[in-house]
Amino acid sequence: MSNASEAASVLFKPVAGGYVFQSPNPWVFGRTSRYIVNEAQKAAILAITTPQRPMLRVAVITIGVLAWAVAAATIVWAVSPHADPAVIDGVAIFALVLFPIYAALVIGLQRNLRRMQPIIAGAPRTDMRITRAEMRRACANAISTRLALVYAALWTFTSSTQVFSLVVRNARHPLFSDLQSFLSMFTAVVAAGLAIHYLVIAIRKMRQNPAAC
């Protein structure tokens, strides 16, 4: 999570007697464990899950993912026997990009979970859960206007670089004529959607609280 408010909105839900803490699955996907924790336990868990410089972390992760995606595409292009990217090349790029990201996420998540164990060791388990709809609403409420604008700018930059790539390649590789153009268009559309999502959140917050802008 990028900051304490966002982490709290996703991991905790206020209930009678404390908070429901939804501990992530150590392999990212699958069932989660849920506990009832008190205020002190919540604060200790948040201290583990949130970085000291959230905006710097977001920027570093975004730049790192983009740089690795370019490196992965370059590696596949260098070793591929195909003059133009084929389906197998796209699969290879996809795997090269996602596997290290997933591995890094699992390593970081399991490290945090090990640090949390002494905190939740005596906490009672519960069947109550935090739904995805509750997470989305709470996270949108928790994110600051400034951070929402930063996210919107980063995703706008990502979408713009993909559109620029499509324009540059269009003379030799018209849109949808090869696999790379499909991948670039997909990335551009997803990034544009995320940019709009965070921009809408920022605009809504500025309208609700003009003095905070």
Side-chain angles (χ1 to χ4, degrees):
M1 302 299 158
S2 59
N3 60 48
S5 296
E6 288 182 74
S9 67
V10 173
L11 298 176
F12 301 92
K13 180 168 80 171
V15 294
Y19 301 88
V20 173
F21 167 54
Q22 192 154 280
S23 177
N25 185 287
W27 299 102
V28 182
F29 305 105
R31 293 178 60 85
T32 59
S33 300
R34 296 175 292 276
Y35 306 86
I36 299 295
V37 299
N38 56 34
E39 193 70 46
Q41 289 169 317
K42 174 186 173 183
I45 292 170
L46 286 175
I48 293 172
T49 57
T50 54
Q52 293 182 345
R53 297 180 178 180
M55 295 181 66
L56 177 61
R57 182 181 183 182
V58 169
V60 169
I61 290 175
T62 302
I63 293 171
V65 169
L66 291 175
W68 175 241
V70 172
T74 303
I75 292 169
V76 172
W77 175 81
V79 302
S80 174
H82 308 113
D84 293 319
V87 173
I88 188 64
D89 299 323
V91 173
I93 293 171
F94 191 74
L96 279 175
V97 171
L98 287 190
F99 181 75
I101 294 174
Y102 174 72
L105 183 60
V106 168
I107 291 171
L109 184 57
Q110 294 193 3
R111 175 177 176 272
N112 281 348
L113 288 173
R114 285 194 298 271
R115 295 171 63 193
M116 291 179 197
Q117 284 308 307
I119 301 170
I120 61 175
R125 287 181 176 268
T126 179
D127 291 331
M128 291 185 288
R129 60 190 297 267
I130 308 173
T131 66
R132 293 190 181 278
E134 289 173 330
M135 290 182 191
R136 288 193 296 269
R137 287 195 301 268
C139 198
N141 291 333
I143 189 173
S144 68
T145 303
R146 180 183 179 189
L147 196 54
L149 289 172
V150 170
Y151 287 163
L154 289 172
W155 286 116
T156 299
F157 173 77
T158 302
S159 181
S160 299
T161 58
Q162 296 303 311
V163 171
F164 178 76
S165 172
L166 289 170
V167 172
V168 170
R169 298 180 72 253
N170 190 65
R172 294 183 56 192
H173 303 282
L175 187 62
F176 302 135
S177 64
D178 64 351
L179 180 63
Q180 186 172 340
S181 67
F182 275 98
L183 293 174
S184 294
M185 178 57 72
F186 175 78
T187 304
V189 171
V190 171
L194 288 168
I196 292 170
H197 169 72
Y198 284 110
L199 185 59
V200 168
I201 291 175
I203 292 173
R204 185 183 301 126
K205 285 183 171 292
M206 286 188 286
R207 288 177 176 174
Q208 291 173 348
N209 188 15
C213 301

